Amino acid sequence: NAGVTQTPKFRILKIGQSMTLQCTQDMNHNYMYWYRQDPGMGLKLIYYSVGAGITDKGEVPNGYNVSRSTTEDFPLRLELAAPSQTSVYFCASSYSSVYYEQYFGPGTRLTVT
Amino acid sequence: GENVEQHPSTLSVQEGDSAVIKCTYSDSASNYFPWYKQELGKRPQLIIDIRSNVGEKKDQRIAVTLNKTAKHFSLHITETQPEDSAVYFCAARDSGGSNYKLTFGKGTLLTVNP
């Protein structure tokens, strides 16, 4: 199993541009999450999904959108990028509400200038 | 929602010494408390976790203790080694309808000096 994979690893965006961060897991996990990690800070939840077709906002959803058309994929869309979205983005997954452990992807380092 | 406070934010120890990181949480119904280790430029990885029906759990040189009454839990690392140097995050599982979400502390940068 590859686990949780993310693409791209690095990206530089100009203000106002848009992009999609890709996340895929091959563990048949039902729950998937997007976090952002700013320097010296913990992980803040952006969006999460409890299954295909079901998504909900986390702590910091403004400026982002998600979709979950399959169990495996959970892309994060940034519209009209702003410097405040410069961060490291981690995707994570967990099997169920009983088996809680969250497995993280390698992250995407995004810079908006 | 849940609130998790983590202390200290930085910790420096000599190789072979013990290190202790403490976290407090606000939701008395939280029942799962994981600890993640994140090396520089890498992803967070689970190193140990504890559920609310247990007071202590050990795995070789690391242990976690939970005090439900005081709503705090701690990570203990004994015989520290340079490879233990990393950022450590605690987290608490939200209760009720949001019980698939974790709330994370802000992290502790542990430096183990040879």
Side-chain angles (χ1 to χ4, degrees):
Chain A
N1 285 354
V4 182
T5 58
Q6 292 181 238
T7 57
K9 292 184 179 180
F10 305 94
R11 183 72 184 268
I12 298 175
L13 279 182
K14 294 188 184 301
I15 295 171
Q17 288 185 322
S18 300
M19 76 165 294
T20 299
L21 283 66
Q22 301 292 344
C23 175
T24 299
Q25 54 88 13
D26 62 359
M27 299 176 282
N28 200 32
H29 284 178
N30 294 306
Y31 298 91
M32 296 188 74
Y33 313 83
W34 274 106
Y35 295 93
R36 60 176 288 171
Q37 184 177 36
D38 299 327
M41 302 294 286
L43 295 151
K44 293 189 176 181
L45 183 64
I46 305 171
Y47 269 96
Y48 62 95
S49 169
V50 301
I54 306 170
T55 63
D56 208 347
K57 296 177 181 179
E59 184 183 356
V60 289
N62 292 343
Y64 308 93
N65 274 300
V66 294
S67 59
R68 182 99 181 269
S69 57
T70 66
T71 300
E72 295 78 20
D73 300 308
F74 190 40
L76 178 71
R77 178 80 177 164
L78 278 72
E79 304 282 1
L80 298 174
S84 61
Q85 293 178 305
T86 294
S87 190
V88 180
Y89 292 84
F90 288 100
C91 179
S93 70
S94 62
Y95 181 63
S96 72
S97 61
V98 175
Y99 297 98
Y100 317 140
E101 179 179 348
Q102 291 190 15
Y103 296 83
F104 283 82
T108 295
R109 184 175 295 276
L110 176 67
T111 302
V112 182
T113 61
Chain B
E2 178 68 274
N3 184 50
V4 176
E5 300 284 340
Q6 183 171 348
H7 299 280
S9 56
T10 61
L11 179 61
S12 182
V13 300
Q14 290 299 122
E15 183 177 359
D17 288 350
S18 295
V20 181
I21 303 169
K22 299 181 179 180
C23 289
T24 61
Y25 60 99
S26 61
D27 184 353
S28 58
S30 289
N31 62 4
Y32 173 68
F33 307 92
W35 285 89
Y36 285 82
K37 175 183 180 182
Q38 185 178 28
E39 297 176 352
L40 187 62
K42 300 291 182 62
R43 74 188 80 188
Q45 293 196 300
L46 180 74
I47 56 171
I48 195 167
D49 56 14
I50 192 167
R51 296 175 190 244
S52 59
N53 58 347
V54 175
E56 183 176 5
K57 184 177 179 181
K58 288 183 179 181
D59 183 3
Q60 298 183 6
R61 294 187 298 107
I62 61 173
V64 56
T65 58
L66 172 64
N67 183 326
K68 287 189 294 182
T69 302
K71 291 189 287 186
H72 68 69
F73 57 110
S74 300
L75 177 71
H76 304 255
I77 305 174
T78 59
E79 301 173 17
T80 54
Q81 301 167 3
E83 51 264 39
D84 294 329
S85 296
V87 177
Y88 292 81
F89 292 98
C90 64
R93 180 182 185 242
D94 288 15
S95 64
S98 301
N99 64 357
Y100 32 80
K101 294 194 292 180
L102 295 175
T103 298
F104 287 84
K106 292 186 177 179
T108 296
L109 174 61
L110 174 64
T111 303
V112 180
N113 302 300

